[in-house]
Amino acid sequence: EKEIINIEFELEFYLQQIYDSKEEFDAAKFNPNDPILEKQKEYLATLKKSDFKEMFKHYNDFKKEEFKGHELMKSDNFRKFYDELCKLELIFPFKWMSWTVGTLNLNNKEYDYKDCSLLELSMYITYIFRADKFTPGTKEEIFKKGTFDKILIRLKENLIY
């Protein structure tokens, strides 16, 4: 019993170091029933196949380029690709840092995204671009691992076309 009390005390102390209250801690957790996710799902359902044409074009043009290192993401075609993602609102505000499943899958080179919904693909895209702001080089790593390809193939073959 003493061990449980010590563990609970340590957990409470730790949480207080990060959050002012348990309510704040709970509020920061990923919630799969968050209304923003339902709203994004409804929005994505309104998109048509033709809406994605420019995004795929710029991505394919970008892939043909041969850059090294951080220059890769400074490409004009990559910027156009990113602009299309934003225009399509595939990048949206949700608690991506708390999305543990997303973190695990993005870090798993074997994960193939074949069972992902359009919403989940949008969440992965959001995660990649948001994470890059905190950890520069994330986009380059994801691209080099082939993750962008896997996500866009899933988007193109199974959801859009």
Side-chain angles (χ1 to χ4, degrees):
E1 184 177 338
K2 186 178 180 194
E3 186 67 28
I4 292 172
I5 292 170
N6 285 337
I7 291 170
E8 286 178 8
F9 174 77
E10 290 170 10
L11 176 61
E12 183 179 343
F13 178 76
Y14 175 73
L15 291 177
Q16 287 174 355
Q17 299 300 313
I18 299 174
Y19 298 97
D20 291 334
S21 68
K22 182 169 181 338
E23 289 77 25
E24 282 185 27
F25 171 73
D26 288 339
K29 289 181 186 176
F30 178 75
N31 176 5
N33 299 315
D34 188 331
I36 192 77
L37 298 177
E38 185 59 34
K39 183 178 177 185
Q40 180 71 356
K41 183 178 177 180
E42 290 170 5
Y43 162 73
L44 293 169
T46 68
L47 296 175
K48 300 180 294 291
K49 173 182 165 180
S50 60
D51 295 332
F52 292 86
K53 185 178 178 183
E54 286 298 307
M55 182 201 69
F56 286 120
K57 176 196 176 305
H58 294 306
Y59 185 74
N60 289 332
D61 290 346
F62 163 70
K63 280 184 56 176
K64 293 175 189 170
E65 298 175 13
E66 293 192 25
F67 291 96
K68 294 192 166 89
H70 292 293
E71 292 179 15
L72 187 68
M73 301 303 151
K74 293 180 181 175
S75 156
D76 190 45
N77 282 311
F78 188 81
R79 184 189 52 74
K80 290 176 183 176
F81 166 66
Y82 174 74
D83 289 346
E84 286 296 318
L85 290 174
C86 293
K87 181 176 150 189
L88 292 168
E89 298 179 38
L90 294 179
I91 299 172
F92 71 106
F94 80 99
K95 294 178 183 172
W96 63 271
M97 291 196 312
S98 301
W99 188 36
T100 309
V101 171
T103 303
L104 294 172
N105 291 340
L106 283 169
N107 288 311
N108 177 357
K109 286 199 303 190
E110 304 304 315
Y111 190 70
D112 63 9
Y113 305 87
K114 70 179 174 82
D115 295 323
C116 291
S117 66
L118 185 53
L119 173 63
E120 290 167 319
L121 295 170
S122 180
M123 291 167 69
Y124 284 115
I125 291 168
T126 299
Y127 190 111
I128 293 164
F129 283 90
R130 296 289 187 250
D132 192 71
K133 292 191 183 298
F134 294 94
T135 309
T138 300
K139 292 182 303 213
E140 289 90 344
E141 181 181 331
I142 294 290
F143 177 76
K144 289 176 184 174
K145 285 190 329 186
T147 303
F148 268 128
D149 284 343
K150 290 178 184 179
I151 291 170
L152 293 181
I153 285 169
R154 173 65 181 142
L155 189 66
K156 190 175 188 177
E157 292 180 355
N158 299 324
L159 296 173
I160 306 304
Y161 290 90

